[in-house]
Amino acid sequence: MPLDVIMPALGMAQDTGHLVAWKKKPGDRVAAGDVLFEVETDKSVMEVEAQGEGWLVDVAAEEGSDVPVGRVIARIADSPGESGAAEAQASAPAPDAGAEAPAPAPDTPALPEGRAVIMPVLGMAQDAGLLVAWSVEPGARVEAGDTLFEVETDKSVMEVPAEAAGYLAATLAAAGEEVPTGEVIAILTETAPEAPVTRTRAEGAAPAPATPPAKAEEPAPATPPARAEERARPVSPPAPAPETGGRLLASPKLRRLAHEEGLDLALLRQAGVPEPWHVRDLERLRALAAEAATAPAAAPAPATAGLRLVATLSEDSLAGTLAWAAERADLAPEAVLAGLAGAALGLPATVAVETLHARSLWHVPSRRLTAVTAAGEDATPSLVLRDLTASRLTEIAAGPEPAPVLTLTRGPAGLTLTLEAAPGALAPLAAARLLDGLAGRLEDPLRHLF
Amino acid sequence: MTRQITLSKAVNEALAEEMRRDPTVFIIGEDVAEAGTPFKVLAGLVEEFGTDRVIDTPISEPGFVGMAVGAAMTGARPVVDLMFGDFLYLVMDQLCNQAAKTHYMSGGKLTVPMVLRTNLGATRRSAAQHSQSLHALVAHIPGLKVALPSSAYEAKGLMKTAIRDDNPVVIFEDKLMYQDKAEVPEEEYLIPFGEACIKREGRDITLIATSSMVQVALAAAETLAAEGISAEVIDPRTIVPLDEATLISSVRKTSRAIVIDEGHRNYGITGEIASRLTEKAFYHLDAPVLRMGAMDVPVPFSPALEDLTVPTPGTVAEAARRLCRGEAMDAA
């Protein structure tokens, strides 16, 4: 898949990078990690590496030139012959990225003209940053140096200052979204906006930092299908903020109150309330929770999902136990299994023991294994024990059946005992006790005595 | 009955009353006798108690503090006058290795009922070596108690308690406040250690302040009240022992706190108190606990610069406003 090679932001307040030298020529094969070019910052000369492998094509910046941060200056393509229309733009004068007003996508409000703010490169090998929070309200004024937003890198949360004074007229990513470095995430204007634009990245309306003419002239037939898919950004109505699994930022007091009232903080993120949240957001959260509770078809989980618990046993515990029982009391293995399982479930029990080829039913009246008797075929089991250790199956997830099912399988790491039950058939703790109880008995038959 | 007296007079009265009450109490230090100290706090005492109990010394801080430690160990109750808190550095061994540890290391056989009376506070144009607020240094040492009077009323009550305490106590008066008046009872009163005083009740934010910063916080609270923010101002009065319960109960009520102290912000009193609040009132905090202290620079000699290095009612009010708005913080 062709990769854009951009001029990265190597410093916090860096607008342009001085391209000192190309280390690869157009048409060269590059591997991930190869140095593509060198950039001079005000501190030193830094090497920029390829983020993927392929062939270097569409080289669009000359050695010795100053390239605006975020500008696409080359591509790494799947074959040496690929080329986009960007080559035709190579000699075009480089407009200031800050002054460009990106062409609006159809069906979305036009983005204001102003200074583009990009997701900066904050670490050496960083290709995306998690936007933790906007530090300023949309539409508010910032001075140069004021913290504009916070980014989480793999090391820490860093505050990114505004490089110039202005009004936050547009935000193009929401708190919690991951943004590739170099992508425009905000626009600062000189005059206060009437209606600040607030978008999320999920809506896909963020413009690429490259100049619009290059994008608009890209002829569709000339581009490989993969690239066309990459370029296509569906414009959909505002979607709820994606579940990034990132931390929800709330004050300790709000967290406690939300917990006490059983409210889900994630509702605030879905509603787009800017983080961090405080106690004054509690009212809103209560309202959102009330809405969610009354929403139709708000079934959080399908009714068919049952309980599934898994335990592992040491390899030869089963064989040892059965051998012990056979030696002690001349008991059939199925009876032993039924007796142990029944005791784990709760006595008295009727246990069906199944293997790949046979099924038997047993009455388990007491802990005395010798008291286990065969039951008639029409008996209704309260528990099914499926011994599949003689088969090659290593894992099972068959879904709930009328009675709880304990399945024994043999895997590379030993024996696995899986308990599956229909929702409501067994309370989670009772299920855990059952599984643990049988597993323990299989590993150490003496446990059966207690 | 109360009357308005200056902090200087309040300290003077406390010492005179304790010296009348207990003949083992004596004062030792530089220029304490005829001069009554450069701040004139001890004026009149040598006339009443004589040079055996109000003792002038040469410029020899380690020497006379050491003498006081020895005197305390052998039955006296010295009040040592350290002319500027900045001179603490000179007496650290006598104070922190000897006075602070003697009771413990002697298995309880010896006590050091010594009071070290000194001062803190900048903005007097005394420059870096005569303007420091070093109470954090001694608060850190187990075995020492530390009192910080914030007005004439506290100064008298805390001094009397200090003299009667069998442990070494360091009292810091704010040198800028000696002429500030407050209502002080005529009758005898003592202020116990480990008891904070809520100087102003509030609902929205707790301002914990020491020494002259109490006045700064109260002024900030006035400003904030006009803007609809109700600030509670608490004076811990002693930082060792510290009345944690009052502070935490306040933060549980307001859910926001700023700790204001004139020591340097880094590694100081504010960090300790803020830490305890975060630890014990965590689930009641709706905002980070802020610290405001003196800038981490040597106190400038230039008046314009010096005034910028300490918290003021304006900076405290601004920090409180931002906390109440829920903004990300970078309070200086």
Side-chain angles (χ1 to χ4, degrees):
Chain A
M1 193 128 151
L3 288 172
D4 282 344
V5 176
I6 61 164
M7 171 59 68
L10 291 169
M12 289 297 292
Q14 190 195 342
D15 271 343
T16 62
H18 185 76
L19 200 158
V20 174
W22 281 100
K23 294 301 183 186
K24 296 284 183 187
K25 299 187 306 304
D28 274 357
R29 172 131 179 104
V30 303
D34 283 354
V35 176
L36 292 180
F37 57 94
E38 289 178 351
V39 177
E40 189 179 286
T41 66
D42 51 8
K43 292 216 171 89
S44 61
V45 176
M46 306 201 62
E47 296 174 337
V48 179
E49 297 172 359
Q51 297 291 315
E53 69 167 50
W55 280 266
L56 189 67
V57 300
D58 295 345
V59 172
E62 292 176 354
E63 291 186 352
S65 64
D66 285 311
V67 182
V69 163
R71 168 77 55 83
V72 175
I73 58 171
R75 290 194 175 85
I76 297 175
D78 292 335
S79 65
E82 280 177 18
S83 143
E87 214 164 24
Q89 301 299 323
S91 52
D96 192 7
E100 272 298 328
D107 297 330
T108 57
L111 288 173
E113 283 200 22
R115 187 192 186 87
V117 177
I118 60 162
M119 171 61 72
V121 175
L122 290 170
M124 281 305 290
Q126 188 200 343
D127 50 21
L130 178 70
L131 178 64
V132 172
W134 288 103
S135 303
V136 178
E137 297 284 340
R141 175 158 178 92
V142 293
E143 300 302 322
D146 285 352
T147 300
L148 191 53
F149 56 93
E150 290 179 3
V151 177
E152 188 177 295
T153 63
D154 50 7
K155 291 216 173 83
S156 61
V157 175
M158 301 195 63
E159 294 177 344
V160 180
E163 289 159 29
Y167 294 87
L168 187 60
T171 59
L172 304 173
E177 297 194 291
E178 191 140 294
V179 182
T181 53
E183 190 171 290
V184 178
I185 58 169
I187 296 175
L188 292 177
T189 52
E190 284 181 0
T191 53
E194 280 180 14
V197 175
T198 310
R199 292 196 196 145
T200 67
R201 209 170 161 265
E203 299 164 22
T211 58
K215 296 208 80 54
E217 285 174 34
E218 211 165 32
T223 63
R227 191 192 296 181
E229 273 171 31
E230 192 185 48
R231 294 275 169 263
R233 295 185 191 280
V235 178
S236 54
E243 267 306 301
T244 60
R247 189 170 288 157
L248 303 173
L249 300 181
S251 80
K253 186 168 186 179
L254 177 64
R255 278 187 195 281
R256 174 175 62 82
L257 294 173
H259 177 75
E260 284 171 3
E261 296 184 27
L263 305 171
D264 181 7
L265 283 174
L267 293 171
L268 286 172
R269 179 174 279 177
Q270 283 165 25
V273 181
E275 288 163 72
W277 304 310
H278 300 90
V279 172
R280 63 165 181 265
D281 299 307
L282 187 60
E283 275 310 308
R284 182 84 198 274
L285 180 57
R286 286 184 183 131
L288 291 168
E291 275 172 35
T294 59
T304 51
L307 200 64
R308 182 169 184 271
L309 308 178
V310 180
T312 49
L313 312 169
S314 64
E315 178 57 51
D316 56 355
S317 54
L318 179 62
T321 302
L322 296 176
W324 167 85
E327 182 206 1
R328 285 304 207 88
D330 197 22
L331 289 166
E334 293 79 19
V336 175
L337 289 174
L340 298 178
L345 175 68
L347 298 167
T350 305
V351 182
V353 178
E354 298 175 359
T355 62
L356 272 186
H357 305 293
R359 184 172 196 258
S360 51
L361 283 132
W362 305 86
H363 278 311
V364 184
S366 74
R367 282 227 200 90
R368 187 114 58 78
L369 291 179
T370 48
V372 175
T373 54
E377 273 182 33
D378 50 354
T380 309
S382 46
L383 178 64
V384 176
L385 180 60
R386 220 164 260 159
D387 180 3
L388 300 178
T389 51
S391 76
R392 283 204 174 76
L393 274 80
T394 54
E395 202 183 348
I396 193 157
E401 295 178 22
V405 179
L406 282 157
T407 310
L408 261 175
T409 48
R410 173 168 284 130
L415 292 179
T416 305
L417 188 60
T418 307
L419 168 61
E420 288 178 278
L426 269 182
L429 262 186
R433 271 185 236 117
L434 165 59
L435 182 63
D436 186 60
L438 180 57
R441 287 172 164 83
L442 288 175
E443 285 203 302
D444 181 7
L446 284 176
R447 274 188 63 174
H448 182 64
L449 300 175
F450 299 101
Chain B
M1 285 289 297
T2 67
R3 64 257 140 84
Q4 286 252 331
I5 56 171
T6 61
L7 196 148
S8 171
K9 183 88 176 75
V11 173
N12 189 295
E13 279 187 8
L15 288 166
E17 288 169 20
E18 292 304 300
M19 288 173 78
R20 282 174 212 133
R21 178 181 172 274
D22 182 346
T24 67
V25 179
F26 72 94
I27 298 174
I28 183 167
E30 293 164 11
D31 285 341
V32 297
E34 206 174 294
T37 78
F39 299 102
K40 305 295 177 220
V41 177
L42 305 184
L45 293 180
V46 69
E47 286 81 1
E48 181 174 344
F49 299 101
T51 52
D52 274 357
R53 292 181 73 193
V54 184
I55 304 169
D56 271 344
T57 68
I59 301 177
S60 53
E61 279 79 7
F64 63 76
V65 173
M67 285 171 62
V69 173
M73 283 194 222
T74 51
R77 301 190 90 92
V79 178
V80 185
D81 187 302
L82 204 62
M83 194 186 287
F84 284 90
D86 312 60
F87 303 161
L88 262 178
Y89 301 129
L90 294 164
V91 306
M92 288 303 268
D93 187 84
Q94 296 302 330
L95 187 59
C96 301
N97 266 338
Q98 311 308 327
K101 297 175 170 60
T102 291
H103 186 64
Y104 179 86
M105 291 176 72
S106 69
K109 291 193 176 62
L110 297 172
T111 57
V112 184
M114 178 181 95
V115 175
L116 185 79
R117 205 195 125 245
T118 185
N119 53 46
L120 51 69
T123 70
R124 193 172 171 270
R125 317 329 184 187
S126 300
Q129 293 169 342
H130 292 78
S131 309
Q132 292 166 88
S133 303
L134 298 176
H135 42 296
L137 295 186
V138 290
H140 186 59
I141 310 303
L144 297 176
K145 295 191 181 179
V146 183
L148 297 168
S150 60
S151 77
Y153 175 81
E154 273 80 19
K156 184 170 183 186
L158 290 172
M159 177 60 77
K160 289 166 84 78
T161 303
I163 290 172
R164 299 190 197 188
D165 197 314
D166 286 343
N167 296 283
V169 179
V170 188
I171 291 198
F172 292 82
E173 295 148 10
D174 192 311
K175 62 174 84 70
L176 277 299
M177 292 183 69
Y178 282 127
Q179 302 312 313
D180 291 357
K181 292 189 178 173
E183 292 293 335
V184 178
E186 281 175 1
E187 310 79 20
E188 175 162 273
Y189 68 100
L190 276 76
I191 295 178
F193 286 175
E195 195 181 277
C197 175
I198 299 180
K199 294 286 188 183
R200 182 187 174 121
E201 291 203 1
R203 287 178 323 273
D204 298 324
I205 183 168
T206 300
L207 303 177
I208 298 166
T210 59
S211 192
S212 61
M213 295 294 109
V214 170
Q215 312 306 329
V216 169
L218 285 170
E222 269 301 305
T223 308
L224 292 168
E227 298 167 21
I229 296 177
S230 159
E232 179 150 292
V233 178
I234 307 186
D235 174 9
R237 301 206 287 207
T238 55
I239 50 176
V240 183
L242 180 68
D243 180 2
E244 259 182 47
T246 301
L247 304 184
I248 285 162
S249 135
S250 171
V251 173
R252 286 169 76 113
K253 177 173 68 165
T254 64
S255 74
R256 294 176 194 87
I258 305 180
V259 190
I260 309 144
D261 177 83
E262 212 183 321
H264 292 299
R265 184 164 161 237
N266 284 351
Y267 299 97
I269 302 298
T270 55
E272 171 67 24
I273 296 178
S275 219
R276 294 201 202 186
L277 297 178
T278 307
E279 200 179 315
K280 300 187 184 180
F282 184 75
Y283 296 100
H284 300 269
L285 287 173
D286 199 34
V289 179
L290 290 191
R291 303 168 293 147
M292 295 186 71
M295 234 183 249
D296 296 287
V297 294
V299 179
F301 187 37
S302 148
L305 290 182
E306 184 181 22
D307 289 345
L308 290 176
T309 62
V310 295
T312 63
T315 55
V316 172
E318 179 56 19
R321 254 177 235 122
R322 295 180 73 187
L323 260 196
C324 290
R325 283 202 294 259
E327 286 181 22
M329 301 309 306
D330 183 27

PDB file of all heavy atoms in Angstrom, chain B residues 123-145:
ATOM      1  N   THR B 123      10.184  40.564  50.844  1.00  0.00           N
ATOM      2  CA  THR B 123       9.655  41.871  50.447  1.00  0.00           C
ATOM      3  C   THR B 123      10.054  42.974  51.403  1.00  0.00           C
ATOM      4  O   THR B 123       9.435  44.049  51.427  1.00  0.00           O
ATOM      5  CB  THR B 123       8.106  41.881  50.269  1.00  0.00           C
ATOM      6  OG1 THR B 123       7.449  41.765  51.531  1.00  0.00           O
ATOM      7  CG2 THR B 123       7.668  40.794  49.338  1.00  0.00           C
ATOM      8  N   ARG B 124      11.122  42.746  52.155  1.00  0.00           N
ATOM      9  CA  ARG B 124      11.622  43.796  53.035  1.00  0.00           C
ATOM     10  C   ARG B 124      12.852  44.445  52.437  1.00  0.00           C
ATOM     11  O   ARG B 124      13.468  45.322  53.055  1.00  0.00           O
ATOM     12  CB  ARG B 124      11.949  43.197  54.403  1.00  0.00           C
ATOM     13  CG  ARG B 124      12.169  44.219  55.502  1.00  0.00           C
ATOM     14  CD  ARG B 124      12.301  43.526  56.841  1.00  0.00           C
ATOM     15  NE  ARG B 124      12.731  44.472  57.853  1.00  0.00           N
ATOM     16  CZ  ARG B 124      14.001  44.723  58.149  1.00  0.00           C
ATOM     17  NH1 ARG B 124      14.961  44.088  57.498  1.00  0.00           N
ATOM     18  NH2 ARG B 124      14.307  45.603  59.088  1.00  0.00           N
ATOM     19  N   ARG B 125      13.246  44.010  51.233  1.00  0.00           N
ATOM     20  CA  ARG B 125      14.425  44.551  50.536  1.00  0.00           C
ATOM     21  C   ARG B 125      15.694  44.174  51.285  1.00  0.00           C
ATOM     22  O   ARG B 125      16.657  44.942  51.299  1.00  0.00           O
ATOM     23  CB  ARG B 125      14.374  46.074  50.339  1.00  0.00           C
ATOM     24  CG  ARG B 125      13.062  46.728  49.900  1.00  0.00           C
ATOM     25  CD  ARG B 125      12.215  45.899  49.070  1.00  0.00           C
ATOM     26  NE  ARG B 125      11.010  46.540  48.579  1.00  0.00           N
ATOM     27  CZ  ARG B 125      10.074  45.902  47.924  1.00  0.00           C
ATOM     28  NH1 ARG B 125      10.204  44.591  47.693  1.00  0.00           N
ATOM     29  NH2 ARG B 125       9.016  46.527  47.473  1.00  0.00           N
ATOM     30  N   SER B 126      15.674  43.011  51.931  1.00  0.00           N
ATOM     31  CA  SER B 126      16.855  42.568  52.674  1.00  0.00           C
ATOM     32  C   SER B 126      17.737  41.637  51.862  1.00  0.00           C
ATOM     33  O   SER B 126      18.708  41.108  52.391  1.00  0.00           O
ATOM     34  CB  SER B 126      16.418  41.876  53.964  1.00  0.00           C
ATOM     35  OG  SER B 126      15.682  42.757  54.767  1.00  0.00           O
ATOM     36  N   ALA B 127      17.340  41.360  50.606  1.00  0.00           N
ATOM     37  CA  ALA B 127      18.152  40.554  49.687  1.00  0.00           C
ATOM     38  C   ALA B 127      18.164  39.072  50.070  1.00  0.00           C
ATOM     39  O   ALA B 127      17.582  38.648  51.054  1.00  0.00           O
ATOM     40  CB  ALA B 127      19.573  41.106  49.568  1.00  0.00           C
ATOM     41  N   ALA B 128      18.889  38.296  49.264  1.00  0.00           N
ATOM     42  CA  ALA B 128      18.740  36.852  49.281  1.00  0.00           C
ATOM     43  C   ALA B 128      19.100  36.208  50.601  1.00  0.00           C
ATOM     44  O   ALA B 128      18.497  35.212  51.002  1.00  0.00           O
ATOM     45  CB  ALA B 128      19.560  36.252  48.160  1.00  0.00           C
ATOM     46  N   GLN B 129      20.074  36.759  51.329  1.00  0.00           N
ATOM     47  CA  GLN B 129      20.553  36.055  52.513  1.00  0.00           C
ATOM     48  C   GLN B 129      19.879  36.504  53.797  1.00  0.00           C
ATOM     49  O   GLN B 129      20.235  36.035  54.883  1.00  0.00           O
ATOM     50  CB  GLN B 129      22.064  36.231  52.635  1.00  0.00           C
ATOM     51  CG  GLN B 129      22.787  35.537  51.507  1.00  0.00           C
ATOM     52  CD  GLN B 129      24.249  35.915  51.450  1.00  0.00           C
ATOM     53  OE1 GLN B 129      24.672  36.924  52.014  1.00  0.00           O
ATOM     54  NE2 GLN B 129      25.033  35.108  50.752  1.00  0.00           N
ATOM     55  N   HIS B 130      18.902  37.396  53.698  1.00  0.00           N
ATOM     56  CA  HIS B 130      18.186  37.841  54.898  1.00  0.00           C
ATOM     57  C   HIS B 130      16.685  37.839  54.672  1.00  0.00           C
ATOM     58  O   HIS B 130      15.958  38.542  55.356  1.00  0.00           O
ATOM     59  CB  HIS B 130      18.648  39.250  55.314  1.00  0.00           C
ATOM     60  CG  HIS B 130      20.063  39.294  55.800  1.00  0.00           C
ATOM     61  ND1 HIS B 130      21.135  39.279  54.948  1.00  0.00           N
ATOM     62  CD2 HIS B 130      20.572  39.322  57.050  1.00  0.00           C
ATOM     63  CE1 HIS B 130      22.261  39.299  55.648  1.00  0.00           C
ATOM     64  NE2 HIS B 130      21.956  39.324  56.932  1.00  0.00           N
ATOM     65  N   SER B 131      16.232  37.064  53.677  1.00  0.00           N
ATOM     66  CA  SER B 131      14.800  37.090  53.343  1.00  0.00           C
ATOM     67  C   SER B 131      14.195  35.715  53.194  1.00  0.00           C
ATOM     68  O   SER B 131      13.079  35.583  52.709  1.00  0.00           O
ATOM     69  CB  SER B 131      14.590  37.858  52.030  1.00  0.00           C
ATOM     70  OG  SER B 131      15.224  39.116  52.071  1.00  0.00           O
ATOM     71  N   GLN B 132      14.919  34.697  53.589  1.00  0.00           N
ATOM     72  CA  GLN B 132      14.451  33.343  53.313  1.00  0.00           C
ATOM     73  C   GLN B 132      13.419  32.863  54.335  1.00  0.00           C
ATOM     74  O   GLN B 132      13.421  33.293  55.487  1.00  0.00           O
ATOM     75  CB  GLN B 132      15.636  32.379  53.309  1.00  0.00           C
ATOM     76  CG  GLN B 132      16.571  32.612  52.136  1.00  0.00           C
ATOM     77  CD  GLN B 132      17.887  31.904  52.317  1.00  0.00           C
ATOM     78  OE1 GLN B 132      18.028  30.750  51.947  1.00  0.00           O
ATOM     79  NE2 GLN B 132      18.864  32.589  52.894  1.00  0.00           N
ATOM     80  N   SER B 133      12.582  31.953  53.872  1.00  0.00           N
ATOM     81  CA  SER B 133      11.586  31.317  54.740  1.00  0.00           C
ATOM     82  C   SER B 133      11.925  29.835  54.777  1.00  0.00           C
ATOM     83  O   SER B 133      11.533  29.085  53.891  1.00  0.00           O
ATOM     84  CB  SER B 133      10.176  31.552  54.198  1.00  0.00           C
ATOM     85  OG  SER B 133       9.917  32.937  54.069  1.00  0.00           O
ATOM     86  N   LEU B 134      12.645  29.436  55.804  1.00  0.00           N
ATOM     87  CA  LEU B 134      13.263  28.115  55.793  1.00  0.00           C
ATOM     88  C   LEU B 134      12.589  27.119  56.723  1.00  0.00           C
ATOM     89  O   LEU B 134      13.200  26.131  57.126  1.00  0.00           O
ATOM     90  CB  LEU B 134      14.740  28.256  56.177  1.00  0.00           C
ATOM     91  CG  LEU B 134      15.556  29.106  55.194  1.00  0.00           C
ATOM     92  CD1 LEU B 134      16.975  29.286  55.702  1.00  0.00           C
ATOM     93  CD2 LEU B 134      15.563  28.474  53.817  1.00  0.00           C
ATOM     94  N   HIS B 135      11.356  27.354  57.043  1.00  0.00           N
ATOM     95  CA  HIS B 135      10.692  26.459  58.001  1.00  0.00           C
ATOM     96  C   HIS B 135      10.592  25.027  57.491  1.00  0.00           C
ATOM     97  O   HIS B 135      10.508  24.099  58.285  1.00  0.00           O
ATOM     98  CB  HIS B 135       9.323  26.999  58.384  1.00  0.00           C
ATOM     99  CG  HIS B 135       8.545  27.554  57.252  1.00  0.00           C
ATOM    100  ND1 HIS B 135       8.973  28.685  56.545  1.00  0.00           N
ATOM    101  CD2 HIS B 135       7.379  27.208  56.688  1.00  0.00           C
ATOM    102  CE1 HIS B 135       8.085  28.952  55.618  1.00  0.00           C
ATOM    103  NE2 HIS B 135       7.110  28.066  55.665  1.00  0.00           N
ATOM    104  N   ALA B 136      10.627  24.859  56.173  1.00  0.00           N
ATOM    105  CA  ALA B 136      10.559  23.489  55.656  1.00  0.00           C
ATOM    106  C   ALA B 136      11.760  22.663  56.103  1.00  0.00           C
ATOM    107  O   ALA B 136      11.657  21.450  56.307  1.00  0.00           O
ATOM    108  CB  ALA B 136      10.471  23.499  54.132  1.00  0.00           C
ATOM    109  N   LEU B 137      12.909  23.332  56.249  1.00  0.00           N
ATOM    110  CA  LEU B 137      14.108  22.589  56.623  1.00  0.00           C
ATOM    111  C   LEU B 137      13.934  21.922  57.976  1.00  0.00           C
ATOM    112  O   LEU B 137      14.321  20.780  58.175  1.00  0.00           O
ATOM    113  CB  LEU B 137      15.320  23.533  56.702  1.00  0.00           C
ATOM    114  CG  LEU B 137      15.798  24.211  55.431  1.00  0.00           C
ATOM    115  CD1 LEU B 137      17.078  24.975  55.722  1.00  0.00           C
ATOM    116  CD2 LEU B 137      16.031  23.210  54.327  1.00  0.00           C
ATOM    117  N   VAL B 138      13.360  22.661  58.934  1.00  0.00           N
ATOM    118  CA  VAL B 138      13.254  22.105  60.274  1.00  0.00           C
ATOM    119  C   VAL B 138      12.001  21.260  60.436  1.00  0.00           C
ATOM    120  O   VAL B 138      11.976  20.348  61.268  1.00  0.00           O
ATOM    121  CB  VAL B 138      13.324  23.213  61.347  1.00  0.00           C
ATOM    122  CG1 VAL B 138      14.725  23.783  61.400  1.00  0.00           C
ATOM    123  CG2 VAL B 138      12.315  24.314  61.085  1.00  0.00           C
ATOM    124  N   ALA B 139      10.985  21.538  59.637  1.00  0.00           N
ATOM    125  CA  ALA B 139       9.780  20.716  59.722  1.00  0.00           C
ATOM    126  C   ALA B 139      10.084  19.285  59.316  1.00  0.00           C
ATOM    127  O   ALA B 139       9.409  18.345  59.735  1.00  0.00           O
ATOM    128  CB  ALA B 139       8.693  21.291  58.834  1.00  0.00           C
ATOM    129  N   HIS B 140      11.088  19.133  58.504  1.00  0.00           N
ATOM    130  CA  HIS B 140      11.449  17.816  57.985  1.00  0.00           C
ATOM    131  C   HIS B 140      12.118  16.952  59.047  1.00  0.00           C
ATOM    132  O   HIS B 140      12.222  15.735  58.891  1.00  0.00           O
ATOM    133  CB  HIS B 140      12.401  18.016  56.794  1.00  0.00           C
ATOM    134  CG  HIS B 140      12.771  16.784  56.061  1.00  0.00           C
ATOM    135  ND1 HIS B 140      11.828  15.980  55.459  1.00  0.00           N
ATOM    136  CD2 HIS B 140      13.961  16.199  55.827  1.00  0.00           C
ATOM    137  CE1 HIS B 140      12.443  14.964  54.877  1.00  0.00           C
ATOM    138  NE2 HIS B 140      13.734  15.062  55.087  1.00  0.00           N
ATOM    139  N   ILE B 141      12.578  17.551  60.154  1.00  0.00           N
ATOM    140  CA  ILE B 141      13.412  16.822  61.109  1.00  0.00           C
ATOM    141  C   ILE B 141      12.557  16.282  62.259  1.00  0.00           C
ATOM    142  O   ILE B 141      11.978  17.067  63.021  1.00  0.00           O
ATOM    143  CB  ILE B 141      14.512  17.745  61.674  1.00  0.00           C
ATOM    144  CG1 ILE B 141      15.247  18.452  60.530  1.00  0.00           C
ATOM    145  CG2 ILE B 141      15.468  16.952  62.546  1.00  0.00           C
ATOM    146  CD1 ILE B 141      15.862  17.519  59.509  1.00  0.00           C
ATOM    147  N   PRO B 142      12.487  14.978  62.420  1.00  0.00           N
ATOM    148  CA  PRO B 142      11.721  14.453  63.547  1.00  0.00           C
ATOM    149  C   PRO B 142      12.326  14.923  64.857  1.00  0.00           C
ATOM    150  O   PRO B 142      13.544  14.931  65.010  1.00  0.00           O
ATOM    151  CB  PRO B 142      11.868  12.929  63.401  1.00  0.00           C
ATOM    152  CG  PRO B 142      12.303  12.709  62.002  1.00  0.00           C
ATOM    153  CD  PRO B 142      13.072  13.915  61.604  1.00  0.00           C
ATOM    154  N   GLY B 143      11.479  15.327  65.783  1.00  0.00           N
ATOM    155  CA  GLY B 143      11.976  15.782  67.079  1.00  0.00           C
ATOM    156  C   GLY B 143      11.819  17.268  67.273  1.00  0.00           C
ATOM    157  O   GLY B 143      11.998  17.766  68.386  1.00  0.00           O
ATOM    158  N   LEU B 144      11.484  17.997  66.204  1.00  0.00           N
ATOM    159  CA  LEU B 144      11.300  19.441  66.320  1.00  0.00           C
ATOM    160  C   LEU B 144       9.849  19.781  66.066  1.00  0.00           C
ATOM    161  O   LEU B 144       9.226  19.219  65.173  1.00  0.00           O
ATOM    162  CB  LEU B 144      12.162  20.183  65.290  1.00  0.00           C
ATOM    163  CG  LEU B 144      13.666  20.038  65.411  1.00  0.00           C
ATOM    164  CD1 LEU B 144      14.356  20.759  64.263  1.00  0.00           C
ATOM    165  CD2 LEU B 144      14.165  20.562  66.739  1.00  0.00           C
ATOM    166  N   LYS B 145       9.322  20.742  66.827  1.00  0.00           N
ATOM    167  CA  LYS B 145       7.990  21.254  66.511  1.00  0.00           C
ATOM    168  C   LYS B 145       8.168  22.610  65.849  1.00  0.00           C
ATOM    169  O   LYS B 145       9.130  23.328  66.126  1.00  0.00           O
ATOM    170  CB  LYS B 145       7.163  21.395  67.785  1.00  0.00           C
ATOM    171  CG  LYS B 145       6.890  20.059  68.454  1.00  0.00           C
ATOM    172  CD  LYS B 145       5.857  20.184  69.551  1.00  0.00           C
ATOM    173  CE  LYS B 145       5.644  18.811  70.205  1.00  0.00           C
ATOM    174  NZ  LYS B 145       4.662  18.881  71.307  1.00  0.00           N
TER     175      LYS B 145
END
